Amino acid sequence: MKNLLTRRTIRQYSDQPVSEELMNRLLSEASRTQTMGNLQLYSVVVTRSDEIKQQLAPAHFNQPMVTAAPVVLTICADFNRTSTWARCRKAEPGYDNFLSFINAATDALLYTQTLCNLMDEEGLGYCYLGTTVYMPQQIIDVLQLPRLVMPVATLTVGWPAEEPALSDRLPLESFVHQDTYTDYLACDIDAYYQAKEQLPENLDFVRINKKETLAQIFTDIRYTRKDNEAMSEGLIRTLRRQGFLPPVGHVL
């Protein structure tokens, strides 16, 4: 059994299958998490098919755990089910807007975190893929997601075949603000980021990439302005296609 203090991201999995019974139990238990209006504005697509995993892999930059994991879970913000329910009960839904996407995405991510905690307790390993919102249209096409359904998170799941080191974390005082937000001074940044920047692996990242600082690894290589802007445009286009944003030229 694990807890949050010993939680590790697992990218390598054993051949031991994850039973449908166990997965369904955890998926059901996770539904006890908080949800807006008790509407449960999420859906989960469970992928076990090797063929579908292969189709999903390019949307996640072909990270090997997508095809290697026994189970891939795609958690979606879903206002389609609620809207269909409303229409079937003589009610007219008004959830084809950005606020509704934010509410459903929040629901979906709360569900995702609760599910992760439950999987930790069972000893399952998982990796959270932030790539889900980078190229969402590919995922939508593969999983045949209808209007008002948007993928927001992906988990690769299996029994761990590795025990990687714990990832570093910033100290409490770096992210907790008392009463009001206190902006950061250069001296605060020095204090809060010193331990991270002095880790041998991070010093090595800077050296082999011929950069001056660890921050440059993130701004110049990993998460560049060019990539962020291009993927933002793709995300907005997909939100329009899925009905959470009005068509171009539409006057609100």
Side-chain angles (χ1 to χ4, degrees):
M1 181 180 292
K2 297 181 287 186
N3 60 42
L4 281 175
L5 295 180
T6 58
R7 191 205 67 80
R8 292 168 167 83
T9 293
I10 301 297
R11 296 178 174 86
Q12 297 180 30
Y13 307 99
S14 74
D15 294 332
Q16 180 182 355
V18 178
S19 73
E20 185 174 355
E21 179 184 10
L22 173 60
M23 197 74 259
N24 285 344
R25 175 168 65 80
L26 297 178
L27 290 167
S28 178
E29 289 177 2
S31 70
R32 299 305 307 170
T33 198
Q34 310 93 308
T35 172
M36 193 203 80
N38 200 30
L39 288 173
Q40 296 180 246
L41 302 172
Y42 50 79
S43 284
V44 184
V45 180
V46 181
T47 300
R48 294 178 180 270
S49 160
D50 290 338
E51 180 183 355
I52 301 298
K53 292 176 197 173
Q54 291 286 350
Q55 293 175 32
L56 287 172
H60 298 290
F61 300 105
N62 291 306
Q63 296 177 86
M65 55 276 195
V66 176
T67 53
V71 179
V72 176
L73 304 177
T74 305
I75 299 93
C76 304
D78 185 349
F79 247 118
N80 174 60
R81 183 183 64 251
T82 302
S83 296
T84 301
W85 170 63
R87 287 190 291 269
C88 288
R89 297 294 181 267
K90 301 179 181 180
E92 184 58 36
Y95 307 123
D96 52 347
N97 46 66
F98 188 63
L99 177 63
S100 296
F101 167 69
I102 291 296
N103 285 332
T106 300
D107 257 25
L109 293 173
L110 285 168
Y111 178 88
T112 301
Q113 184 57 63
T114 299
L115 179 61
C116 287
N117 293 345
L118 292 170
M119 291 194 296
D120 279 329
E121 292 178 0
E122 291 291 334
L124 281 167
Y126 59 86
C127 180
Y128 176 93
L129 303 184
T131 45
T132 306
V133 295
Y134 290 179
M135 292 185 284
Q137 190 61 53
Q138 293 186 33
I139 299 171
I140 289 167
D141 293 342
V142 170
L143 300 182
Q144 302 177 31
L145 304 182
R147 189 173 185 270
L148 296 185
V149 180
M150 185 77 178
V152 294
T154 299
L155 300 171
T156 60
V157 182
W159 298 103
E162 62 172 342
E163 189 173 358
L166 292 175
S167 300
D168 65 281
R169 291 292 185 266
L170 294 172
L172 180 71
E173 58 270 24
S174 71
F175 58 85
V176 174
H177 302 255
Q178 301 298 335
D179 294 324
T180 60
Y181 189 100
T182 302
D183 208 352
Y184 299 94
L185 302 174
C187 60
D188 299 321
I189 297 299
D190 290 343
Y192 299 152
Y193 282 85
Q194 182 180 23
K196 177 187 285 288
E197 291 171 338
Q198 293 304 310
L199 288 172
E201 59 267 33
N202 287 338
L203 290 171
D204 197 44
F205 286 154
V206 174
R207 180 185 60 80
I208 64 177
N209 285 287
K210 297 180 172 58
K211 294 296 179 180
E212 294 182 58
T213 69
L214 181 64
Q216 291 174 347
I217 299 294
F218 289 87
T219 61
D220 299 353
I221 299 174
R222 295 192 65 183
Y223 307 112
T224 67
R225 174 183 293 276
K226 178 181 177 182
D227 289 344
N228 287 336
E229 290 178 348
M231 288 186 285
S232 292
E233 291 176 2
L235 179 60
I236 290 169
R237 283 196 303 271
T238 303
L239 286 170
R240 291 191 194 283
R241 291 192 189 105
Q242 294 304 102
F244 284 113
L245 287 176
V248 175
H250 177 81
V251 178
L252 295 175

